Amino acid sequence: MDYNATTPVHPEVLEALLPFYREAFGNPSSIHWAGRNVKGALEEAREKVALLVGCDPAEVVFTSCGTEADNMAIKGVAAALRGNGNHIITTGVEHPAVLNTCLYLEHEGFEITRLDVDRHGMLDPERLEAAITERTILISVMHANNETGTIFPVGEIGEIAARRRVRFHCDAVQAVGRIPVDCRADTIHLLSLSGHKLYAPKGIGALVVRKGVKLHPLLHGGSQERNRRGGTENVAGIVALGTACELARRAMVEEAPRLRELRDRLETGIRERIPGVTLNGHPEQRLPNTANLSFSGTTADSLLMNLDLAGIAASSGAACSSGTLRHSHVLGAMGTEPVAAGGSIRFSLGRESAAADVEYLLDVLPGIVARLRGNK
Ligand SMILES: *Cc1c(COP(=O)(O)O)cnc(C)c1O
């Protein structure tokens, strides 16, 4: 129940990528037969990614992960548009890949506005527009939050960005493959995605850079990726990402309602069995697979430890920050007090989640919570 942290490689994705570690090992930049075949596979993958997120294939730049895509977008625009201004608008609930990139730029002399969210983790587009100044060069706002699943109004944000002539970067790592994502319809200039969040392997991601968007590269080198990212391409990873995007595009129509039903069963089941439970995140505008719940009178680490002993993998939020016992910056920005919130746990479902898994959780969790509350 931790699919927002990572996902297993889809069997069809694994089948598709294996030949590129065996016979099809050519360098896509080679002009001989060995390279040409591989180059074709690369361009096919680019088309599949583009089809899922609503952009042209030429606008897809493959990266090593979602973090690199976020860094490339934000630092790349900051460097390219430094002459126009130094102001960047983001939110307080972004993934560390965006938060810490902005923090770095702040130390380099950029001015960062971090917008608050309401108690549902929702962003107000009017407040975003009010934050735009003459010096604003970039808005970086995520599509769906990794901890709560709250979905931001990216269409409205894109409209504001277009009207005010500011670049819009969207970290859509949690959204791609789960809900419809459309760069054209939502006028998103730059969009980050990551393979391992949608059943492709770790170590592959992409940044969509729409035509006309000026961007300095992060990696200087050869002319790969139309001079936007040097380095010989991760061919197997790229083929895997393309395959995963195609599978997601086909499966989403049925998979999203299936996961929503399972997730709702998990949520109502927990509320029926356990008192003192609150939902963190927007009740409706939320990823279909995510439920973030607080259990009063408990702590997240003791809940997670006991769930782990029962064989259940869940998370206290960002996988990247678990192990540290800090209160989640996302829940903090929503105004939940660490103590009042109690232990906050994120359950995130995916492809292999079944009704029996939810029933098992509903069997064991009430006992765990009662025991922890009794110990206090
Ligand atoms: C996982 C995640 C990232 C980072 O992607 P990696 O491929 O793990 O570097 C960025 N943003 C969000 C919202 C994420 O959930």
Side-chain angles (χ1 to χ4, degrees), residues 44-62 69 143 154 168 170-195 198 205-210 241-242 244-250 252:
E44 230 172 85
R46 209 182 295 282
E47 283 168 24
K48 290 171 182 169
V49 175
L51 211 52
L52 182 65
V53 299
C55 69
D56 293 339
E59 296 172 329
V60 175
V61 181
F62 291 112
H143 206 305
V154 286
F168 175 28
C170 184
D171 176 344
V173 171
Q174 289 292 345
V176 171
R178 297 213 171 106
I179 53 172
V181 170
D182 194 333
C183 293
R184 282 191 204 95
D186 292 340
T187 45
I188 296 167
H189 298 114
L190 301 125
L191 181 121
S192 304
L193 62 125
S194 172
L198 78 150
L207 179 68
V208 172
V209 183
R210 303 297 305 287
L241 180 59
C245 285
E246 185 177 34
L247 289 169
R249 191 168 53 85
R250 294 206 190 127
M252 207 189 302

Side-chain angles (χ1 to χ4, degrees), residues 4-5 64-68 70 95 97 142 144 146 171 173-174 194-197 204:
N4 287 12
S64 66
C65 58
T67 299
E68 187 192 326
D70 285 341
H95 187 275
M142 69 202 317
N146 43 304
D171 176 344
V173 171
Q174 289 292 345
S194 172
H196 77 98
K197 304 279 172 77
I204 186 68

